[in-house]
Amino acid sequence: MEQRTSSMTDEALLQQLGKQARMYVQSHTPINVEALPEAFETDITPRDTIFMRNNHDLLTIDAQEWQLTIDGAVEHPLILDYAALTALPRVKYVAFLECYGNGRKRFAELGTPAEGVPWGNGAIANVEWEGASVAAVLQRVGLSPDAVEIECRSGGDSAFVRGVEIAPLLADAIFAYRMNGEPLPPEHGGPVRLVVPGWGGINWVKWLTGMTVLTQESQSPFNQESYILLDADGRKFGKVREIAPKAMIVRPSANSTLTAGPQRIQGFAWAARGIERVEISTDGGLTWQPTELAVDHGPYSWRRFEWQWDTKPGTYRVAARAIDQTGQHQAEKAVFNKKGYLMNAIEWLSFEVLEM
């Protein structure tokens, strides 16, 4: 894939990437692109609406030349080629992919800006993934009982390394080589990437070519300097892990002027532990009403929700909140951290309703 330079217009970049016009370009170098809320229409996000988050240039690796090396604290180091990987039993499921920084600009809107790419709500997608079980392959190599993380590497000269915790890799992670029924495209990490359902996108390492099993935490800057939680004074108080419950209203769009009468509120909700229900408030949080959930595509998928609103003239503050299958509610306020991760605070939208 050819290099995209900053001299290219946003429209030209989107066209070259095969993305629709309802996308917003955050940066050209590296390429970071998100969907605008109105672009989300279907349960399964089409390729032209899937966001792109990169820390370095895009890579192109020929599937026939691709290899995965697994070494480190294992009994039997292994090298897999593409034919061997795709010959393994295939796993297929629908899972949401979200950048840990999704919604970061909302920290600034709430009064305290955070560092990093100022994502809106569009660094999220819900995709059908196919590939081979990571757990099955790791069973073949024989993990050390002291293993705690696996350093996962992208190919090429990117020097990208991310230490991923063992537990989610042994749960339902896959080596994905198909996306929405087609071979995984290079702009989304093909020929092979990790899929780690319920965890943020930095763990879903693209252009995967190496895995080194560690008995201690990775010292990669993508573990020690980025994707950690820092308070306002720069003190570390945690690290990013599972995705907490979150809901997003996509229609009507924020600050819309509506006509009194029947209106349909629509949106999507997601969480690492699956969505149990979504509730709507049209009175600033005094009361909450249950919504109607659409088709359940599985425990890792987001859920589309709808609610019939019989509107009367006036000004309204409207929000949706998600509750996961463990009973955890979406937060009223997100915990501030300097790098702006894990923004899952309930988002209030304003609407003006006029007489018919």
Side-chain angles (χ1 to χ4, degrees):
M1 185 170 294
E2 67 179 307
Q3 179 77 23
R4 281 89 179 194
T5 67
S6 58
S7 61
M8 184 180 295
T9 66
D10 289 355
E11 292 77 9
L13 177 62
L14 292 174
Q15 185 175 19
Q16 191 167 35
L17 291 169
K19 298 298 180 184
Q20 62 161 289
R22 293 179 297 179
M23 303 288 283
Y24 179 77
V25 178
Q26 289 282 1
S27 66
H28 286 234
T29 308
I31 295 174
N32 288 299
V33 177
E34 68 173 305
L36 298 175
E38 58 267 26
F40 294 115
E41 298 178 329
T42 57
D43 290 358
I44 306 300
T45 309
R47 177 175 171 178
D48 67 0
T49 313
I50 299 173
F51 77 100
M52 296 177 64
R53 169 65 174 120
N54 293 288
N55 288 286
H56 52 75
D57 291 340
L58 304 186
L59 301 179
T60 298
I61 301 175
D62 189 297
Q64 303 309 311
E65 298 177 357
W66 176 87
Q67 287 187 328
L68 172 65
T69 300
I70 305 177
D71 55 21
V74 299
E75 296 178 3
H76 310 290
L78 178 67
I79 297 178
L80 275 178
D81 61 19
Y82 192 78
L85 181 72
T86 55
L88 296 174
R90 183 175 297 184
V91 177
K92 179 168 70 172
Y93 53 65
V94 176
F96 72 85
L97 165 62
E98 182 181 27
C99 175
Y100 279 126
N102 192 31
R104 179 181 282 128
K105 77 172 185 179
R106 292 185 56 210
F107 283 108
E109 294 170 353
L110 294 172
T112 310
E115 301 171 359
V117 178
W119 296 107
N121 290 326
I124 172 77
N126 199 53
V127 177
E128 182 185 79
W129 307 97
E130 296 178 64
S133 165
V134 172
V137 173
L138 294 181
Q139 186 176 22
R140 291 173 57 182
V141 302
L143 295 178
S144 165
D146 298 324
V148 296
E149 284 188 356
I150 299 181
E151 281 193 335
C152 302
R153 300 185 298 278
S154 291
D157 299 322
S158 65
F160 178 85
V161 178
R162 165 70 177 179
V164 183
E165 294 183 31
I166 291 287
L169 291 176
L170 293 181
D172 292 303
I174 60 175
F175 298 110
Y177 48 80
R178 292 181 68 82
M179 180 183 85
N180 289 350
E182 300 179 345
L184 183 64
E187 68 267 23
H188 290 291
V192 179
R193 74 175 298 167
L194 277 179
V195 167
V196 188
W199 289 63
I202 191 66
N203 301 291
W204 298 42
V205 177
K206 301 190 290 289
W207 310 292
L208 182 69
T209 58
M211 302 177 76
T212 298
V213 179
L214 305 178
T215 57
Q216 69 283 325
E217 187 174 305
S218 171
Q219 296 304 301
S220 166
F222 292 100
N223 291 81
Q224 300 300 324
E225 300 171 18
S226 301
Y227 303 96
I228 58 175
L229 302 178
L230 302 175
D231 66 18
D233 296 320
R235 294 185 295 260
K236 181 179 178 180
F237 67 92
K239 56 185 178 180
V240 295
R241 303 186 82 251
E242 290 183 317
I243 301 294
K246 191 171 182 177
M248 168 179 62
I249 293 174
V250 298
R251 273 171 291 278
S253 58
N255 301 313
S256 295
T257 299
L258 309 176
T259 301
Q263 299 286 344
R264 198 75 171 165
I265 295 178
Q266 298 175 310
F268 296 89
W270 59 95
R273 304 303 176 94
I275 293 296
E276 176 65 28
R277 67 186 188 275
V278 180
E279 298 173 338
I280 289 282
S281 176
T282 59
D283 57 13
L286 295 177
T287 60
W288 293 88
Q289 306 296 326
T291 68
E292 178 184 346
L293 294 180
V295 176
D296 185 353
H297 292 279
Y300 312 126
S301 173
W302 70 11
R303 297 292 300 274
R304 181 162 47 88
F305 64 86
E306 294 188 352
W307 189 71
Q308 186 71 32
W309 184 20
D310 187 15
T311 61
K312 295 177 173 58
T315 301
Y316 296 87
R317 292 180 68 242
V318 178
R321 68 179 182 185
I323 298 93
D324 74 11
Q325 293 182 357
T326 71
Q328 181 182 359
H329 283 61
Q330 183 173 352
E332 292 187 13
K333 295 182 178 180
V335 176
F336 176 78
N337 60 98
K338 287 189 67 174
K339 293 182 178 293
Y341 300 126
L342 304 176
M343 166 49 84
N344 78 316
I346 294 170
E347 184 172 21
W348 292 95
L349 306 182
S350 295
F351 298 108
E352 184 75 20
V353 180
L354 304 179
E355 291 277 7
M356 292 183 63

